């Protein structure tokens, strides 16, 4: 095997990095994950994730973790209501969609980020993850790399895999290409106890998702396993125009001003959101990117191919990268590491470029003046099959 007696360092313990660690360990490979978070209990923030049959779920199946996933996913959380800016319903699949339909390519079960991370962590050998290891730099040492971390620790690895997400610090060691701004930004927030604090939206949500469209603006709400709701409000605006909004009165006046004509129903969420709301400008790696393969360093997930979140493909591509890279590195097909990494990277870039383009196109569609009609007909055509 190409990885015999090699030390592998995965930088970043998100879904991509942890899936890769699991798959490599199953093949007997010595692997460490260096993760920035202080420990496993650090709060994993963000919206929920839907896993797809041909990518995220495929990787979990190969990792022997489908049964664990079935214990932790949230049946019904993939059901959707599409409304206009006045919260009037134009589409709902709550009645028609089955709770579980594993094996159907249109079934995209939802899981919160925290439980997904926990089930991956539990599958790893003890001490695989080295917490509180924020990577800051690397230098070549022999045929491998000496990695340096913010806590002053260092570690040697024969092969380094950057799985450190959107703002990857590993990426510059292989390519100078940077993500570009897509023209869309959003604010991310969450509301606790929404049944009491935002009853109208809670009723509409029914444990699933709401997508609201009006005037080129988009308001997405998702239920979470701990009973809270997360929301993401996005529109076309300047790259740096959204700031941390901490003051409730300021948040409301921003919404009333920038979301002119939207119903006061949405104010329930903004009035009870945890503050500050987090600005999320949307970036994408160029779809025609390429780089020269290195024999001892590569990228997976957002580090390799950051894309907008508008097709729900980011986490799925990260987990499929993990599966394909593990097969290239720890399989018997290739004669050398450069060959194995080159095959992985070529296929990964091609596949991710298609998904990134779809995500960019969806972003345009979701933020156009006729988004409501377009999204309703899209889901009528695709969702209820
Ligand atoms: C608002 C929003 C909504 C989204 N919704 C969806 C969705 O519905 N479906 C979907 O598929 N995708 C969605 N995405 C995208 C998805 O979150 C990412 O594509 C996915 O998490 C990528 O996984 P990853 O493992 O590559 O990186 P990440 O999940 O970003 O994990 C990277 C890990 O590396 C660690 N790290 C970072 N820097 C360092 C460092 N210097 N040293 C050590 N460790 C480091 C981080 O702490 C983290 O644990 C969304 C993104 C956003 C912003």
């Amino acid at each position: 095997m190409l990885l015999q007696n090699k030390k592998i360092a995965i930088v970043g313990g998100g879904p991509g990095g942890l899936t890769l660690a699991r798959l490599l360990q199953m093949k007997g490979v010595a692997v460490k994950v260096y993760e920035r978070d202080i420990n496993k209990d650090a709060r994993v923030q963000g919206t929920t994730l839907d896993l797809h049959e041909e990518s995220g779920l495929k990787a979990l199946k190969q990792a022997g973790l489908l049964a664990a996933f079935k214990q932790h996913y949230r049946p019904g959380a993939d059901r959707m209501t599409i409304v206009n800016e006045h919260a009037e319903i134009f589409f709902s699949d709550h009645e028609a969609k089955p709770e579980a339909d594993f094996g159907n390519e249109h079934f995209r079960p939802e899981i919160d980020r925290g439980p997904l991370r926990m089930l991956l962590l539990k599958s790893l050998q003890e001490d695989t993850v080295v917490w509180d290891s924020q990577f800051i730099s690397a230098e070549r040492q022999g045929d491998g790399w000496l990695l340096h971390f913010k806590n002053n620790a260092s570690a040697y690895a024969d092969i380094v895999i950057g799985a450190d997400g959107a703002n990857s610090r590993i990426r510059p060691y292989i390519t100078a290409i940077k993500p570009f701004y897509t023209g869309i930004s959003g604010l991310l927030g969450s509301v606790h106890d929404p049944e009491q604090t935002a009853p109208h939206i809670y009723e509409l949500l029914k444990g699933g998702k709401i997508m609201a469209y009006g005037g080129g603006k988009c308001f997405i709400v998702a239920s979470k396993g701990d009973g809270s709701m997360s929301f993401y409000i996005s529109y076309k605006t300047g790259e740096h125009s959204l700031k941390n909004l901490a003051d409730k009165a300021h948040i409301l006046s921003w919404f009333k001003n920038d979301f002119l004509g939207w119903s006061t129903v949405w104010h329930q969420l903004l009035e009870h959101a945890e503050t500050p709301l987090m600005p999320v400008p949307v970036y994408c790696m160029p779809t025609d990117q390429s780089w020269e393969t290195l024999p001892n360093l590569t990228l997976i997930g957002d580090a390799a191919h950051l894309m907008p979140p508008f097709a729900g493909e980011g986490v799925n591509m990260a987990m499929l990268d993990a599966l394909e890279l593990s097969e290239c590195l720890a399989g018997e097909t290739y004669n050398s590491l450069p060959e194995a990494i080159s095959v992985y990277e070529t296929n990964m870039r091609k596949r991710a470029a298609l998904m990134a383009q779809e995500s960019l196109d969806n972003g345009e569609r979701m933020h156009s003046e006729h988004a409501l009609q377009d999204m309703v007909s899209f889901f009528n055509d695709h969702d209820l099959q």
Side-chain angles (χ1 to χ4, degrees):
M1 190 191 21
L2 295 172
L3 298 184
Q4 197 101 43
N5 301 323
K6 301 268 187 219
K7 283 186 176 170
I8 312 298
I10 298 172
V11 177
L18 295 178
T19 304
L20 179 61
R22 163 71 177 172
L23 290 163
L24 289 177
Q25 279 186 349
M26 287 172 83
K27 299 191 185 220
V29 176
V31 55
K32 288 278 181 204
V33 178
Y34 296 94
E35 166 56 44
R36 176 178 62 183
D37 285 348
I38 301 284
N39 58 41
K40 70 174 173 37
D41 301 317
R43 193 172 153 222
V44 185
Q45 293 183 324
T47 53
T48 73
L49 299 165
D50 56 308
L51 296 196
H52 304 174
E53 185 64 29
E54 68 287 357
S55 44
L57 290 175
K58 182 178 174 190
L60 280 183
K61 204 183 281 179
Q62 278 308 112
L65 295 174
L66 199 56
F69 175 82
K70 286 181 181 176
Q71 281 173 8
H72 293 284
Y73 87 104
R74 290 190 302 115
D78 56 321
R79 291 176 179 160
M80 162 108 70
T81 304
I82 300 180
V83 301
N84 64 5
E85 64 269 50
H86 307 298
E88 293 162 342
I89 299 175
F90 283 73
F91 172 91
S92 167
D93 59 14
H94 278 268
E95 302 304 323
K97 211 173 194 180
E99 252 194 10
D101 200 4
F102 285 93
N104 179 340
E105 62 171 315
H106 298 290
F107 178 53
R108 297 180 160 191
E110 294 275 342
I111 188 165
D112 288 0
R113 283 169 201 263
L116 178 62
R117 184 183 240 190
M118 278 306 161
L119 80 84
L120 288 165
L121 283 174
K122 272 194 187 158
S123 75
L124 299 176
Q125 291 161 17
E126 218 173 310
D127 298 329
T128 302
V129 180
V130 187
W131 299 98
D132 190 19
S133 300
Q134 181 171 351
F135 168 82
I136 46 170
S137 67
E139 57 186 298
R140 286 177 189 272
Q141 191 175 84
D143 289 337
W145 294 90
L146 188 63
L147 306 178
H148 300 292
F149 302 98
K150 199 176 173 191
N151 61 6
N152 291 323
S154 299
Y156 173 81
D158 297 296
I159 299 174
V160 174
I161 292 144
D164 52 339
N167 303 312
S168 173
R169 296 284 294 265
I170 298 285
R171 190 191 291 138
Y173 289 86
I174 197 166
T175 173
I177 302 170
K178 292 192 167 75
F180 65 90
Y181 178 59
T182 61
I184 298 168
S185 280
L187 282 171
L188 197 57
S190 63
V191 177
H192 288 278
D193 198 13
E195 193 170 0
Q196 299 301 323
T197 55
H200 190 106
I201 302 290
Y202 179 84
E203 185 91 344
L204 207 56
L205 195 62
K206 290 188 189 155
K209 288 183 176 184
I210 299 170
M211 287 189 172
Y213 300 102
K217 319 232 154 121
C218 179
F219 203 135
I220 298 177
V221 190
S223 61
K224 293 184 74 176
D226 63 1
S228 68
M229 280 177 188
S230 63
F231 63 83
Y232 182 61
I233 321 170
S234 55
Y235 62 140
K236 289 188 175 174
T237 184
E239 183 174 2
H240 305 293
S241 64
L242 292 180
K243 310 277 177 238
N244 260 340
L245 289 183
D247 173 69
K248 291 273 162 76
H250 191 178
I251 292 172
L252 260 191
S253 72
W254 163 79
F255 185 75
K256 285 178 187 165
N257 190 49
D258 284 26
F259 282 64
L260 207 62
W262 280 60
S263 159
T264 52
V265 160
W266 306 103
H267 296 186
Q268 290 180 346
L269 287 178
L270 300 166
E271 279 162 356
H272 295 97
E274 266 190 60
T275 53
L277 299 188
M278 194 170 82
V280 186
V282 178
Y283 294 93
C284 186
M285 289 297 278
T287 54
D288 61 352
Q289 66 172 337
S290 190
W291 58 74
E292 213 169 293
T293 294
L294 294 178
N296 53 12
L297 188 147
T298 189
L299 302 172
I300 64 170
D302 280 8
H305 46 61
L306 175 65
M307 61 185 73
F310 304 120
E313 288 290 354
V315 78
N316 287 288
M317 288 302 102
M319 293 171 77
L320 188 55
D321 292 348
L323 175 58
E324 292 186 359
L325 180 59
S326 72
E327 286 172 345
C328 285
L329 290 178
E332 303 295 335
T333 311
Y334 303 106
N335 295 319
S336 70
L337 281 169
E339 187 191 358
I341 295 177
S342 169
V343 169
Y344 156 73
E345 288 182 344
T346 305
N347 292 337
M348 172 271 287
R349 280 191 298 254
K350 206 159 130 191
R351 161 171 58 72
L354 293 175
M355 293 305 161
Q357 192 55 55
E358 188 182 321
S359 306
L360 288 165
D361 294 346
N362 272 4
E364 280 303 311
R365 187 188 296 160
M366 290 165 71
H367 298 88
S368 78
E369 287 296 328
H370 34 85
L372 181 65
Q373 296 85 330
D374 286 355
M375 294 307 288
V376 167
S377 53
F378 177 85
F379 278 97
N380 272 325
D381 290 348
H382 291 84
D383 195 46
L384 302 175
Q385 294 179 14

